[in-house]
Amino acid sequence: MRIAVLGAGYAGLTLARKLERTVPDDVEILVVERTGQHLVQHELHRAIRRPSLADEIVVDLETVLDRAELRQAEVADVDPDAGVVSLASGGTIDYDYGAVCLGAETAFYDLPGVEEHATPLKTLGHAERIRADFLDALDADGGGNSESDGTSRVVVGGAGLSGVQVAGELAAFAREEDARENVTITLLEQLDSVAPSFPENFQTAVRDQLEARDVEIRTGTAVASADADSIELGSDGRLDYDQFVWTGGIRGPAALDGERPEVKNTLRLGDGTFVVGDAARVVDADGEPVPASAQAAVREARAVAENVANLVAYDREGDDIFEPRLEPFAFDSPGWLVSVGDGAVAQIGPTVLTGTAAKALKATVGAGYLSSVGAIRNAADLVSEELGYER
Ligand SMILES: Cc1cc2nc3c(=O)[nH]c(=O)nc-3n(C[C@H](O)[C@H](O)[C@H](O)COP(=O)(O)OP(=O)(O)OC[C@H]3O[C@@H](n4cnc5c(N)ncnc54)[C@H](O)[C@@H]3O)c2cc1C
């Protein structure tokens, strides 16, 4: 019997490691991941300012998988009913149970010029590009064309978790370079608030932290198109820019034709196939849509691992006529946590923390996650890197 885990981000790695401990040793667990590595994506914005952080946030999968087999390959297509994966290199993989954990890609919504002129943030390569372009923009002699006083404007499009954290990081980066006066950082959001899918007390605290760092926030402002120098904002006119970062949304992985299939609380996509994490639009047991996030991906993966282990046990030993009832997934978030430059905002129920307490919590949660997937050295290094930031 074979279980295929497709993708080894938060969902895939958590799932594979849990299955290693819960299904019998003679059940094959095959992890298919195109990079051969696990990227701690929720810290990716940090690598813009601290390229050395790449060592902490990239984990070699061979070091954290125990008995699961790793296949470094690109998934081209999945047939969830037949239980067959097609690889981009040719060839197929059959599975008895499979989990599509391929994450999401950046959505540009066919907005003219946006994909061509803006940089997304999904990989370390993107972080490097954003860093290089930002350093150019800070150097008023080399960039600085967009404002009449010779300063630069850097626009971040989309104020979800990634956009908020990128804007905060860029503001801190400019300050560190003694060039905060050289640049205006503008965060655009088409909805009425920053972090629009999150609780109101969190939104307010995040906005305060961004404003305290002189990030210009323009909510209710949608990007319509872009060219090499300016962004068309529909009825709000045009905005000249020197650098444009796009964090405006996500779409499904190419292997699912760019779709994020909606699944109910068992996360079942086909007979033996589940879809977990950002690749899915999950509606949980309370009928609530689950926000695409690392913390949801990890929780979903734990729930699916339990259900797959029960199905495997039933297939192998069950003399019951009926398949075991799958446990429905209920998303119960303890709260939300983001960094804003060298600060952080933590929301735990009605309580919102900022300052040192939130920052310490952020470092601890990041390290706790890395430890939970077996990356102990990365965890320790992340804590010192995060808490060593204070200047
Ligand atoms: C800058 C930034 C900051 C963020 N901050 C937060 C935060 O503070 N809190 C939070 O909860 N969330 C945050 N997020 C969101 C979070 O990172 C995602 O929700 C999370 O990564 C989703 O996990 P996943 O396992 O579904 O997908 P991913 O982590 O994206 O993993 C998908 C995996 O599949 C692999 N893969 C993809 N396609 C293929 C293919 N065709 N073949 C083989 N392998 C493939 C990828 O290489 C990757 O390893 C942030 C995201 C960004 C970009």
Side-chain angles (χ1 to χ4, degrees), residues 290-301:
V290 179
S293 59
Q295 70 156 288
V298 167
R299 284 171 166 71
E300 289 164 13

Side-chain angles (χ1 to χ4, degrees), residues 6-13 32-46 73-76 101-105 121-122 161-163 165-166 247 250 253-255 276-280 291-298 300 336-339 362:
L6 311 177
Y10 295 82
L13 182 55
V32 185
E33 163 60 53
R34 67 175 164 210
T35 62
Q37 294 173 326
H38 171 69
L39 174 65
V40 181
Q41 213 181 102
H42 81 271
E43 295 282 358
L44 192 51
H45 53 285
R46 293 296 211 188
E74 173 95 17
V75 173
C101 307
L102 296 172
E105 296 178 3
L121 180 58
K122 287 298 271 182
L161 290 176
S162 46
Q165 296 184 100
V166 169
T247 49
I250 57 171
V276 194
D278 280 7
S293 59
Q295 70 156 288
V298 167
E300 289 164 13
W336 294 97
L337 190 52
V338 287
S339 65
K362 177 103 176 42

